Amino acid sequence: QVQLVESGGGLVQAGGPLRLSCAGSGRTFSGNGMGWFRQIPEKEREFVAAISWSGGTTWYADSVEGRFTISRDNAKNTVYLQMDSLKPEDTAVYYCAASRIEDVTSAPAEYPYWGPGTRVTVSS
């Protein structure tokens, strides 16, 4: 069974850091682009960051550019999202996903595999 499981969410004060991890099991994702998305109630899932299969290409939403860093360790089948200088508006459930292509993409429809999500709350 193919699974992605996020961890590392929690409560943090504004300005603080948090690091999310996403571990894959059931198959290797080393040939897939990976992405992070987030969602708040009554809003559509929003693209946050993506990384190519090799890690050589990354792409960020304007709202997180310069504050968040996506990385991956293919040997561990794991992708990370380092979040710095967090703001209350970053509060959301964060999802990791594996895409059907090797390169980066921000389109949710290109991601057939999703984790259950981890909640991040940033207090002001």
Side-chain angles (χ1 to χ4, degrees):
Q1 184 180 0
V2 177
Q3 278 191 319
L4 293 170
V5 179
E6 304 93 342
S7 61
L11 175 64
V12 62
Q13 285 193 331
L18 205 60
R19 190 194 196 204
L20 304 183
S21 299
C22 172
S25 62
R27 57 157 285 180
T28 177
F29 292 102
S30 60
N32 299 77
M34 300 292 291
W36 286 95
F37 293 76
R38 64 188 182 187
Q39 189 170 23
I40 59 176
E42 300 181 354
K43 290 225 171 177
E44 290 190 359
R45 199 162 291 189
E46 174 191 30
F47 168 73
V48 175
I51 188 167
S52 63
W53 72 275
S54 67
T57 303
T58 57
W59 188 12
Y60 297 93
D62 289 344
S63 58
V64 307
E65 179 84 53
R67 300 188 298 120
F68 290 12
T69 303
I70 188 171
S71 61
R72 66 188 299 163
D73 185 338
N74 286 340
K76 296 182 179 179
N77 218 24
T78 300
V79 64
Y80 306 96
L81 186 68
Q82 176 67 42
M83 304 186 293
D84 297 316
S85 303
L86 280 161
K87 304 175 181 180
E89 51 263 44
D90 293 317
T91 295
V93 176
Y94 283 72
Y95 299 88
C96 86
S99 83
R100 67 179 83 251
I101 65 173
E102 296 178 343
D103 207 345
V104 294
T105 176
S106 65
E110 293 295 331
Y111 291 84
Y113 302 104
W114 292 83
T118 185
R119 183 174 301 276
V120 172
T121 303
V122 184
S123 63
S124 56

